[in-house]
Amino acid sequence: MNNTAAVLILVFLALTFLMSSYEKIANWNSTKMWLKGLFAQTFLKNVIPIVTGILLAFELLAGILCLVGVFELYWNGGRMTGFYGAVFSCIALLFMLFGQRLVKDYDGARTIAIYFVPAILAVFLLS
């Protein structure tokens, strides 16, 4: 029971990033076109498929590690997998924050910051 907060945050992060990964994969072409329009006036305009793929990899890895981390906490009290899941979650969110700030979407950046709070809390709880 002493890992309840960590488990709940890991489940939250797993759901967030696994759903986001699924949506990017299922709607790859429309996501890519939307992002090309969003970043059309930035230095990223010509590498959108690459950076989207990198973000997708970080999100998928974060989601899987967080999910496995939940089971690891229950099976043997281990924290390493969940810790790395939380760290990868933070990195993915920082990538997204950078993008939101680059396109001057301050409301979007604020939303990313809200997700960052539980992710960094998970890093703290699992370290």
Side-chain angles (χ1 to χ4, degrees):
M1 276 306 208
N2 57 353
N3 293 320
T4 304
V7 167
L8 290 171
I9 295 171
L10 287 174
V11 169
F12 171 80
L13 293 172
L15 285 171
T16 298
F17 288 111
L18 291 174
M19 290 299 297
S20 180
S21 298
Y22 171 76
E23 290 168 358
K24 280 182 183 63
I25 292 167
N27 304 309
W28 178 257
N29 288 328
S30 61
T31 299
K32 189 175 61 172
M33 295 308 295
W34 178 74
L35 289 171
K36 279 186 177 186
L38 186 64
F39 288 94
Q41 303 301 315
T42 72
F43 68 92
L44 294 176
K45 65 183 172 195
N46 295 322
V47 292
I48 291 302
I50 294 167
V51 297
T52 305
I54 292 168
L55 178 60
L56 173 60
F58 272 87
E59 287 183 332
L60 194 55
L61 189 56
I64 291 168
L65 289 172
C66 286
L67 187 60
V68 172
V70 169
F71 293 108
E72 183 184 38
L73 272 170
Y74 275 116
W75 281 328
N76 62 16
R79 297 172 173 265
M80 191 62 65
T81 306
F83 171 77
Y84 283 117
V87 168
F88 275 91
S89 297
C90 288
I91 293 169
L93 289 165
L94 289 170
F95 284 161
M96 288 185 265
L97 178 66
F98 175 77
Q100 297 290 25
R101 296 295 304 218
L102 187 63
V103 298
K104 297 179 179 20
D105 180 359
Y106 302 114
D107 287 333
R110 185 174 26 255
T111 300
I112 299 301
I114 292 168
Y115 282 92
F116 192 76
V117 172
I120 203 71
L121 180 59
V123 170
F124 174 76
L125 291 172
L126 296 167
S127 62

